[in-house]
Amino acid sequence: MAILVLARQQASQSNSPSKVQTSTPSLRSYVAMDAHLRFCWAACDVPGFKRLLPSLWREMKFFNNIYELVGLPVVTVQLRYNGWVTELQDLERSRQLRQALGLDNLLYTPDADFPCFADLALTSPEDYYREGQGSLLQCVLTPGDPYMPLPNDEIIRRVAKEVLALFPSSQGLEVIWSSVVKIGQSLHREGPGKDPFRPDQKTPVKNLFLAGSYTKQDYIDSMEGATLSGRKTSAYICNAGEELVALRKQLAAFESQEQMEAPTTDDELSVV
């Protein structure tokens, strides 16, 4: 949350959120403040950025539009099996635990309550592969509204049933460990007419940039979207760096002119 400290100070010192004011407003003071203001990069989800957003900034349409994006509940379920769920070529090999087998990719399906899932033991073996154990399926239930009030055991039962429907060859494999994580507000709820409210990464507040999958980019609210938003933010910051160099040159010119205009006094010798 510290990333918005400077931006909050900027808002509290100004009647207009997009400008910086000092105690003695002048062209030089504006340039000096802009030249020394650090870059602020707010990498958040929608609920997180709403908590950080100063109320004064809602007067600006850019920031007020973000409140049209509503976070939806997401339930993430992990199921560890005693074999390889997504191995479709060889049933016998899917039961052995000496070698990880299956679909090494992020997977999507329209036939389950979890639209995306992956076997983490295959996609991220350094973190999730365990010797003597099999698949670690991570299934993301979104929107998770119907699952939020359910007990974890019931959620696990339903997800395991859908996994079996997707991969009948996994019949006979057992869930040896499981985890359920519920998040009340996470991704923003997609819907007709909502896309125009997604903000650009460059904001009206100088040197404040946004990053996150909810911001304006070509992908949906997802890991891929978050990555693309970060690249776009980096490009904006690089471009802003050129502007910052120009501001510092302008500030140096002001300081040089002030030194030239400052009154000079000759030292006078006096004999006592």
Side-chain angles (χ1 to χ4, degrees):
M1 291 189 179
I3 53 179
L4 283 185
V5 169
L6 289 174
R8 284 182 180 274
Q9 292 175 349
Q10 175 176 334
S12 65
Q13 295 174 0
S14 175
N15 294 326
S16 173
S18 61
K19 294 182 179 179
V20 178
Q21 290 186 349
T22 62
S23 57
T24 55
S26 65
L27 179 59
R28 182 186 182 281
S29 63
Y30 280 112
V31 172
M33 181 65 74
D34 286 344
H36 294 294
L37 183 63
R38 300 174 184 174
F39 293 121
C40 297
W41 185 341
C44 307
D45 55 11
V46 170
F49 187 67
K50 286 180 180 178
R51 288 194 293 269
L52 294 174
L53 191 63
S55 58
L56 176 65
W57 291 7
R58 290 200 64 180
E59 297 175 6
M60 306 176 67
K61 183 178 180 181
F62 178 92
F63 293 111
N64 194 55
N65 280 347
I66 296 176
Y67 282 81
E68 297 293 331
L69 303 176
V70 179
L72 56 79
V74 172
V75 179
T76 301
V77 179
Q78 291 186 344
L79 303 176
R80 176 75 76 173
Y81 287 84
N82 62 346
W84 304 103
V85 174
T86 64
E87 170 53 38
L88 306 176
Q89 304 299 322
D90 191 324
L91 183 61
E92 291 186 5
R93 295 187 69 196
S94 71
R95 268 56 179 172
Q96 57 80 36
L97 298 175
R98 299 182 304 277
Q99 179 184 4
L101 298 171
L103 302 176
D104 179 7
N105 213 328
L106 179 64
L107 307 172
Y108 292 86
T109 177
D111 299 320
D113 289 340
F114 46 90
C116 64
F117 64 102
D119 187 342
L120 300 184
L122 292 168
T123 60
S124 305
E126 291 186 4
D127 296 317
Y128 297 106
Y129 173 78
R130 296 291 182 271
E131 187 176 353
Q133 299 180 7
S135 294
L136 177 60
L137 290 191
Q138 177 162 295
C139 307
V140 182
L141 299 158
T142 176
D145 308 68
Y147 286 85
M148 294 298 285
L150 298 180
N152 289 356
D153 289 345
E154 177 61 16
I155 295 174
I156 293 167
R157 186 191 69 80
R158 293 191 184 190
V159 173
K161 182 179 179 180
E162 290 194 339
V163 169
L164 181 59
L166 291 175
F167 298 96
S169 58
S170 66
Q171 179 73 42
L173 296 182
E174 297 178 358
V175 176
I176 60 176
W177 177 87
S178 60
S179 171
V180 176
V181 176
K182 299 178 181 179
I183 302 177
Q185 292 190 41
S186 180
L187 308 175
H188 75 270
R189 192 181 296 274
E190 303 278 359
K194 290 296 183 181
D195 202 61
F197 295 110
R198 298 171 72 174
D200 191 48
Q201 289 76 26
K202 183 178 181 181
T203 76
V205 177
K206 184 173 290 294
N207 292 347
L208 171 64
F209 303 90
L210 306 181
S213 55
Y214 75 96
T215 60
K216 188 173 296 183
Q217 35 80 23
D218 293 336
Y219 295 158
I220 61 173
D221 199 342
S222 60
M223 293 185 294
E224 294 82 3
T227 301
L228 185 57
S229 78
R231 291 180 176 178
K232 295 184 68 176
T233 305
S234 299
Y236 276 129
I237 290 177
C238 289
N239 292 335
E242 298 177 0
E243 181 182 355
L244 188 59
V245 171
L247 283 171
R248 288 178 175 171
K249 289 181 179 179
Q250 189 176 0
L251 177 60
F254 276 121
E255 293 174 343
S256 176
Q257 184 176 356
E258 287 178 348
Q259 290 177 359
M260 294 177 60
E261 294 176 353
T264 57
T265 56
D266 297 331
D267 293 335
E268 295 183 358
L269 297 177
S270 57
V271 179
V272 178

PDB file of all heavy atoms in Angstrom, residues 26-52:
ATOM      1  N   SER A  26       3.853  28.796  -8.116  1.00  0.00           N
ATOM      2  CA  SER A  26       4.533  29.507  -9.188  1.00  0.00           C
ATOM      3  C   SER A  26       4.890  28.480 -10.232  1.00  0.00           C
ATOM      4  O   SER A  26       4.843  27.270  -9.979  1.00  0.00           O
ATOM      5  CB  SER A  26       5.799  30.188  -8.677  1.00  0.00           C
ATOM      6  OG  SER A  26       6.734  29.229  -8.263  1.00  0.00           O
ATOM      7  N   LEU A  27       5.234  28.951 -11.409  1.00  0.00           N
ATOM      8  CA  LEU A  27       5.612  28.029 -12.464  1.00  0.00           C
ATOM      9  C   LEU A  27       6.786  27.182 -12.023  1.00  0.00           C
ATOM     10  O   LEU A  27       6.819  25.967 -12.237  1.00  0.00           O
ATOM     11  CB  LEU A  27       5.958  28.795 -13.737  1.00  0.00           C
ATOM     12  CG  LEU A  27       6.398  27.934 -14.935  1.00  0.00           C
ATOM     13  CD1 LEU A  27       5.303  26.949 -15.304  1.00  0.00           C
ATOM     14  CD2 LEU A  27       6.730  28.833 -16.126  1.00  0.00           C
ATOM     15  N   ARG A  28       7.725  27.799 -11.353  1.00  0.00           N
ATOM     16  CA  ARG A  28       8.906  27.063 -10.916  1.00  0.00           C
ATOM     17  C   ARG A  28       8.534  25.992  -9.893  1.00  0.00           C
ATOM     18  O   ARG A  28       9.040  24.875  -9.930  1.00  0.00           O
ATOM     19  CB  ARG A  28       9.930  28.018 -10.306  1.00  0.00           C
ATOM     20  CG  ARG A  28      11.217  27.312  -9.866  1.00  0.00           C
ATOM     21  CD  ARG A  28      12.155  28.262  -9.118  1.00  0.00           C
ATOM     22  NE  ARG A  28      13.377  27.589  -8.759  1.00  0.00           N
ATOM     23  CZ  ARG A  28      13.502  26.755  -7.732  1.00  0.00           C
ATOM     24  NH1 ARG A  28      12.461  26.484  -6.988  1.00  0.00           N
ATOM     25  NH2 ARG A  28      14.678  26.195  -7.455  1.00  0.00           N
ATOM     26  N   SER A  29       7.615  26.318  -8.964  1.00  0.00           N
ATOM     27  CA  SER A  29       7.272  25.341  -7.929  1.00  0.00           C
ATOM     28  C   SER A  29       6.561  24.138  -8.524  1.00  0.00           C
ATOM     29  O   SER A  29       6.752  23.005  -8.087  1.00  0.00           O
ATOM     30  CB  SER A  29       6.409  25.997  -6.843  1.00  0.00           C
ATOM     31  OG  SER A  29       5.176  26.440  -7.378  1.00  0.00           O
ATOM     32  N   TYR A  30       5.701  24.388  -9.539  1.00  0.00           N
ATOM     33  CA  TYR A  30       5.047  23.262 -10.200  1.00  0.00           C
ATOM     34  C   TYR A  30       6.074  22.374 -10.886  1.00  0.00           C
ATOM     35  O   TYR A  30       6.033  21.144 -10.779  1.00  0.00           O
ATOM     36  CB  TYR A  30       4.038  23.761 -11.245  1.00  0.00           C
ATOM     37  CG  TYR A  30       2.716  24.190 -10.671  1.00  0.00           C
ATOM     38  CD1 TYR A  30       2.327  25.521 -10.684  1.00  0.00           C
ATOM     39  CD2 TYR A  30       1.846  23.249 -10.125  1.00  0.00           C
ATOM     40  CE1 TYR A  30       1.108  25.916 -10.157  1.00  0.00           C
ATOM     41  CE2 TYR A  30       0.624  23.632  -9.607  1.00  0.00           C
ATOM     42  CZ  TYR A  30       0.255  24.968  -9.621  1.00  0.00           C
ATOM     43  OH  TYR A  30      -0.945  25.350  -9.107  1.00  0.00           O
ATOM     44  N   VAL A  31       6.993  22.977 -11.607  1.00  0.00           N
ATOM     45  CA  VAL A  31       8.009  22.215 -12.319  1.00  0.00           C
ATOM     46  C   VAL A  31       8.885  21.451 -11.335  1.00  0.00           C
ATOM     47  O   VAL A  31       9.216  20.288 -11.543  1.00  0.00           O
ATOM     48  CB  VAL A  31       8.863  23.148 -13.204  1.00  0.00           C
ATOM     49  CG1 VAL A  31      10.047  22.383 -13.784  1.00  0.00           C
ATOM     50  CG2 VAL A  31       8.019  23.742 -14.312  1.00  0.00           C
ATOM     51  N   ALA A  32       9.243  22.098 -10.223  1.00  0.00           N
ATOM     52  CA  ALA A  32      10.101  21.444  -9.240  1.00  0.00           C
ATOM     53  C   ALA A  32       9.410  20.230  -8.636  1.00  0.00           C
ATOM     54  O   ALA A  32      10.014  19.169  -8.475  1.00  0.00           O
ATOM     55  CB  ALA A  32      10.483  22.439  -8.140  1.00  0.00           C
ATOM     56  N   MET A  33       8.128  20.374  -8.307  1.00  0.00           N
ATOM     57  CA  MET A  33       7.410  19.246  -7.717  1.00  0.00           C
ATOM     58  C   MET A  33       7.305  18.094  -8.715  1.00  0.00           C
ATOM     59  O   MET A  33       7.527  16.936  -8.390  1.00  0.00           O
ATOM     60  CB  MET A  33       6.017  19.686  -7.276  1.00  0.00           C
ATOM     61  CG  MET A  33       5.201  18.580  -6.616  1.00  0.00           C
ATOM     62  SD  MET A  33       5.914  18.019  -5.061  1.00  0.00           S
ATOM     63  CE  MET A  33       5.491  19.397  -4.003  1.00  0.00           C
ATOM     64  N   ASP A  34       6.963  18.417  -9.962  1.00  0.00           N
ATOM     65  CA  ASP A  34       6.850  17.372 -10.981  1.00  0.00           C
ATOM     66  C   ASP A  34       8.188  16.692 -11.222  1.00  0.00           C
ATOM     67  O   ASP A  34       8.269  15.486 -11.437  1.00  0.00           O
ATOM     68  CB  ASP A  34       6.331  17.957 -12.293  1.00  0.00           C
ATOM     69  CG  ASP A  34       4.854  18.275 -12.223  1.00  0.00           C
ATOM     70  OD1 ASP A  34       4.201  17.773 -11.293  1.00  0.00           O
ATOM     71  OD2 ASP A  34       4.366  19.020 -13.081  1.00  0.00           O
ATOM     72  N   ALA A  35       9.269  17.475 -11.199  1.00  0.00           N
ATOM     73  CA  ALA A  35      10.584  16.931 -11.516  1.00  0.00           C
ATOM     74  C   ALA A  35      11.082  15.983 -10.435  1.00  0.00           C
ATOM     75  O   ALA A  35      11.856  15.071 -10.714  1.00  0.00           O
ATOM     76  CB  ALA A  35      11.587  18.073 -11.717  1.00  0.00           C
ATOM     77  N   HIS A  36      10.641  16.208  -9.191  1.00  0.00           N
ATOM     78  CA  HIS A  36      11.152  15.391  -8.091  1.00  0.00           C
ATOM     79  C   HIS A  36      10.158  14.328  -7.634  1.00  0.00           C
ATOM     80  O   HIS A  36      10.476  13.523  -6.764  1.00  0.00           O
ATOM     81  CB  HIS A  36      11.523  16.283  -6.900  1.00  0.00           C
ATOM     82  CG  HIS A  36      12.679  17.195  -7.190  1.00  0.00           C
ATOM     83  ND1 HIS A  36      13.959  16.725  -7.418  1.00  0.00           N
ATOM     84  CD2 HIS A  36      12.749  18.541  -7.315  1.00  0.00           C
ATOM     85  CE1 HIS A  36      14.772  17.752  -7.654  1.00  0.00           C
ATOM     86  NE2 HIS A  36      14.061  18.857  -7.593  1.00  0.00           N
ATOM     87  N   LEU A  37       8.951  14.324  -8.207  1.00  0.00           N
ATOM     88  CA  LEU A  37       7.963  13.312  -7.836  1.00  0.00           C
ATOM     89  C   LEU A  37       8.385  11.952  -8.382  1.00  0.00           C
ATOM     90  O   LEU A  37       8.678  11.811  -9.569  1.00  0.00           O
ATOM     91  CB  LEU A  37       6.584  13.685  -8.381  1.00  0.00           C
ATOM     92  CG  LEU A  37       5.432  12.758  -8.004  1.00  0.00           C
ATOM     93  CD1 LEU A  37       5.219  12.765  -6.495  1.00  0.00           C
ATOM     94  CD2 LEU A  37       4.153  13.174  -8.722  1.00  0.00           C
ATOM     95  N   ARG A  38       8.400  10.950  -7.543  1.00  0.00           N
ATOM     96  CA  ARG A  38       8.773   9.614  -7.971  1.00  0.00           C
ATOM     97  C   ARG A  38       7.618   8.954  -8.727  1.00  0.00           C
ATOM     98  O   ARG A  38       6.486   9.339  -8.613  1.00  0.00           O
ATOM     99  CB  ARG A  38       9.126   8.764  -6.758  1.00  0.00           C
ATOM    100  CG  ARG A  38      10.283   9.296  -5.937  1.00  0.00           C
ATOM    101  CD  ARG A  38      10.454   8.472  -4.679  1.00  0.00           C
ATOM    102  NE  ARG A  38      11.493   9.018  -3.824  1.00  0.00           N
ATOM    103  CZ  ARG A  38      11.758   8.544  -2.610  1.00  0.00           C
ATOM    104  NH1 ARG A  38      11.059   7.536  -2.133  1.00  0.00           N
ATOM    105  NH2 ARG A  38      12.707   9.100  -1.881  1.00  0.00           N
ATOM    106  N   PHE A  39       7.960   7.928  -9.476  1.00  0.00           N
ATOM    107  CA  PHE A  39       6.928   7.158 -10.154  1.00  0.00           C
ATOM    108  C   PHE A  39       6.176   6.306  -9.130  1.00  0.00           C
ATOM    109  O   PHE A  39       6.785   5.680  -8.266  1.00  0.00           O
ATOM    110  CB  PHE A  39       7.540   6.255 -11.221  1.00  0.00           C
ATOM    111  CG  PHE A  39       8.139   7.022 -12.361  1.00  0.00           C
ATOM    112  CD1 PHE A  39       9.482   6.893 -12.678  1.00  0.00           C
ATOM    113  CD2 PHE A  39       7.361   7.868 -13.128  1.00  0.00           C
ATOM    114  CE1 PHE A  39      10.042   7.591 -13.733  1.00  0.00           C
ATOM    115  CE2 PHE A  39       7.909   8.564 -14.186  1.00  0.00           C
ATOM    116  CZ  PHE A  39       9.248   8.430 -14.484  1.00  0.00           C
ATOM    117  N   CYS A  40       4.859   6.297  -9.225  1.00  0.00           N
ATOM    118  CA  CYS A  40       4.025   5.449  -8.384  1.00  0.00           C
ATOM    119  C   CYS A  40       3.335   4.434  -9.283  1.00  0.00           C
ATOM    120  O   CYS A  40       2.663   4.807 -10.243  1.00  0.00           O
ATOM    121  CB  CYS A  40       2.976   6.279  -7.637  1.00  0.00           C
ATOM    122  SG  CYS A  40       3.688   7.469  -6.493  1.00  0.00           S
ATOM    123  N   TRP A  41       3.509   3.167  -8.965  1.00  0.00           N
ATOM    124  CA  TRP A  41       2.947   2.091  -9.772  1.00  0.00           C
ATOM    125  C   TRP A  41       2.028   1.284  -8.873  1.00  0.00           C
ATOM    126  O   TRP A  41       2.481   0.602  -7.956  1.00  0.00           O
ATOM    127  CB  TRP A  41       4.093   1.238 -10.305  1.00  0.00           C
ATOM    128  CG  TRP A  41       3.702   0.146 -11.246  1.00  0.00           C
ATOM    129  CD1 TRP A  41       2.469  -0.412 -11.421  1.00  0.00           C
ATOM    130  CD2 TRP A  41       4.566  -0.535 -12.165  1.00  0.00           C
ATOM    131  NE1 TRP A  41       2.508  -1.392 -12.379  1.00  0.00           N
ATOM    132  CE2 TRP A  41       3.782  -1.497 -12.852  1.00  0.00           C
ATOM    133  CE3 TRP A  41       5.909  -0.436 -12.468  1.00  0.00           C
ATOM    134  CZ2 TRP A  41       4.312  -2.334 -13.813  1.00  0.00           C
ATOM    135  CZ3 TRP A  41       6.431  -1.279 -13.422  1.00  0.00           C
ATOM    136  CH2 TRP A  41       5.650  -2.217 -14.093  1.00  0.00           C
ATOM    137  N   ALA A  42       0.724   1.381  -9.105  1.00  0.00           N
ATOM    138  CA  ALA A  42      -0.260   0.678  -8.279  1.00  0.00           C
ATOM    139  C   ALA A  42      -0.651  -0.625  -8.960  1.00  0.00           C
ATOM    140  O   ALA A  42      -1.451  -0.628  -9.891  1.00  0.00           O
ATOM    141  CB  ALA A  42      -1.491   1.557  -8.051  1.00  0.00           C
ATOM    142  N   ALA A  43      -0.064  -1.719  -8.517  1.00  0.00           N
ATOM    143  CA  ALA A  43      -0.370  -3.039  -9.073  1.00  0.00           C
ATOM    144  C   ALA A  43      -1.354  -3.723  -8.127  1.00  0.00           C
ATOM    145  O   ALA A  43      -0.949  -4.300  -7.119  1.00  0.00           O
ATOM    146  CB  ALA A  43       0.912  -3.857  -9.230  1.00  0.00           C
ATOM    147  N   CYS A  44      -2.631  -3.629  -8.438  1.00  0.00           N
ATOM    148  CA  CYS A  44      -3.680  -4.127  -7.545  1.00  0.00           C
ATOM    149  C   CYS A  44      -4.774  -4.808  -8.356  1.00  0.00           C
ATOM    150  O   CYS A  44      -4.816  -4.705  -9.574  1.00  0.00           O
ATOM    151  CB  CYS A  44      -4.335  -2.965  -6.765  1.00  0.00           C
ATOM    152  SG  CYS A  44      -3.205  -1.883  -5.884  1.00  0.00           S
ATOM    153  N   ASP A  45      -5.660  -5.483  -7.625  1.00  0.00           N
ATOM    154  CA  ASP A  45      -6.911  -5.892  -8.239  1.00  0.00           C
ATOM    155  C   ASP A  45      -7.933  -4.775  -8.010  1.00  0.00           C
ATOM    156  O   ASP A  45      -7.616  -3.746  -7.394  1.00  0.00           O
ATOM    157  CB  ASP A  45      -7.397  -7.226  -7.662  1.00  0.00           C
ATOM    158  CG  ASP A  45      -7.531  -7.197  -6.145  1.00  0.00           C
ATOM    159  OD1 ASP A  45      -7.461  -6.101  -5.552  1.00  0.00           O
ATOM    160  OD2 ASP A  45      -7.709  -8.274  -5.543  1.00  0.00           O
ATOM    161  N   VAL A  46      -9.141  -4.945  -8.517  1.00  0.00           N
ATOM    162  CA  VAL A  46     -10.151  -3.884  -8.400  1.00  0.00           C
ATOM    163  C   VAL A  46     -10.463  -3.552  -6.942  1.00  0.00           C
ATOM    164  O   VAL A  46     -10.421  -2.375  -6.547  1.00  0.00           O
ATOM    165  CB  VAL A  46     -11.438  -4.275  -9.168  1.00  0.00           C
ATOM    166  CG1 VAL A  46     -12.570  -3.307  -8.839  1.00  0.00           C
ATOM    167  CG2 VAL A  46     -11.185  -4.262 -10.664  1.00  0.00           C
ATOM    168  N   PRO A  47     -10.781  -4.531  -6.079  1.00  0.00           N
ATOM    169  CA  PRO A  47     -11.075  -4.181  -4.683  1.00  0.00           C
ATOM    170  C   PRO A  47      -9.894  -3.518  -3.976  1.00  0.00           C
ATOM    171  O   PRO A  47     -10.081  -2.600  -3.176  1.00  0.00           O
ATOM    172  CB  PRO A  47     -11.413  -5.538  -4.045  1.00  0.00           C
ATOM    173  CG  PRO A  47     -11.823  -6.417  -5.169  1.00  0.00           C
ATOM    174  CD  PRO A  47     -10.975  -5.976  -6.335  1.00  0.00           C
ATOM    175  N   GLY A  48      -8.677  -3.970  -4.272  1.00  0.00           N
ATOM    176  CA  GLY A  48      -7.503  -3.393  -3.644  1.00  0.00           C
ATOM    177  C   GLY A  48      -7.298  -1.938  -4.008  1.00  0.00           C
ATOM    178  O   GLY A  48      -7.014  -1.099  -3.150  1.00  0.00           O
ATOM    179  N   PHE A  49      -7.446  -1.608  -5.293  1.00  0.00           N
ATOM    180  CA  PHE A  49      -7.240  -0.219  -5.699  1.00  0.00           C
ATOM    181  C   PHE A  49      -8.346   0.682  -5.157  1.00  0.00           C
ATOM    182  O   PHE A  49      -8.092   1.838  -4.821  1.00  0.00           O
ATOM    183  CB  PHE A  49      -7.164  -0.105  -7.220  1.00  0.00           C
ATOM    184  CG  PHE A  49      -6.781   1.279  -7.665  1.00  0.00           C
ATOM    185  CD1 PHE A  49      -5.519   1.788  -7.409  1.00  0.00           C
ATOM    186  CD2 PHE A  49      -7.698   2.097  -8.325  1.00  0.00           C
ATOM    187  CE1 PHE A  49      -5.166   3.067  -7.800  1.00  0.00           C
ATOM    188  CE2 PHE A  49      -7.345   3.377  -8.723  1.00  0.00           C
ATOM    189  CZ  PHE A  49      -6.076   3.864  -8.456  1.00  0.00           C
ATOM    190  N   LYS A  50      -9.564   0.176  -5.052  1.00  0.00           N
ATOM    191  CA  LYS A  50     -10.646   0.982  -4.475  1.00  0.00           C
ATOM    192  C   LYS A  50     -10.325   1.364  -3.030  1.00  0.00           C
ATOM    193  O   LYS A  50     -10.669   2.464  -2.591  1.00  0.00           O
ATOM    194  CB  LYS A  50     -11.964   0.212  -4.534  1.00  0.00           C
ATOM    195  CG  LYS A  50     -12.577   0.128  -5.927  1.00  0.00           C
ATOM    196  CD  LYS A  50     -13.886  -0.648  -5.889  1.00  0.00           C
ATOM    197  CE  LYS A  50     -14.523  -0.758  -7.258  1.00  0.00           C
ATOM    198  NZ  LYS A  50     -15.771  -1.555  -7.227  1.00  0.00           N
ATOM    199  N   ARG A  51      -9.695   0.468  -2.294  1.00  0.00           N
ATOM    200  CA  ARG A  51      -9.338   0.780  -0.909  1.00  0.00           C
ATOM    201  C   ARG A  51      -8.245   1.837  -0.834  1.00  0.00           C
ATOM    202  O   ARG A  51      -8.174   2.589   0.138  1.00  0.00           O
ATOM    203  CB  ARG A  51      -8.887  -0.494  -0.183  1.00  0.00           C
ATOM    204  CG  ARG A  51     -10.021  -1.461   0.122  1.00  0.00           C
ATOM    205  CD  ARG A  51      -9.600  -2.518   1.129  1.00  0.00           C
ATOM    206  NE  ARG A  51      -8.594  -3.409   0.585  1.00  0.00           N
ATOM    207  CZ  ARG A  51      -8.868  -4.547  -0.047  1.00  0.00           C
ATOM    208  NH1 ARG A  51     -10.131  -4.904  -0.225  1.00  0.00           N
ATOM    209  NH2 ARG A  51      -7.907  -5.314  -0.502  1.00  0.00           N
ATOM    210  N   LEU A  52      -7.388   1.888  -1.838  1.00  0.00           N
ATOM    211  CA  LEU A  52      -6.297   2.862  -1.837  1.00  0.00           C
ATOM    212  C   LEU A  52      -6.708   4.215  -2.400  1.00  0.00           C
ATOM    213  O   LEU A  52      -6.066   5.227  -2.121  1.00  0.00           O
ATOM    214  CB  LEU A  52      -5.127   2.321  -2.671  1.00  0.00           C
ATOM    215  CG  LEU A  52      -4.403   1.083  -2.141  1.00  0.00           C
ATOM    216  CD1 LEU A  52      -3.377   0.613  -3.156  1.00  0.00           C
ATOM    217  CD2 LEU A  52      -3.733   1.366  -0.818  1.00  0.00           C
TER     218      LEU A  52
END
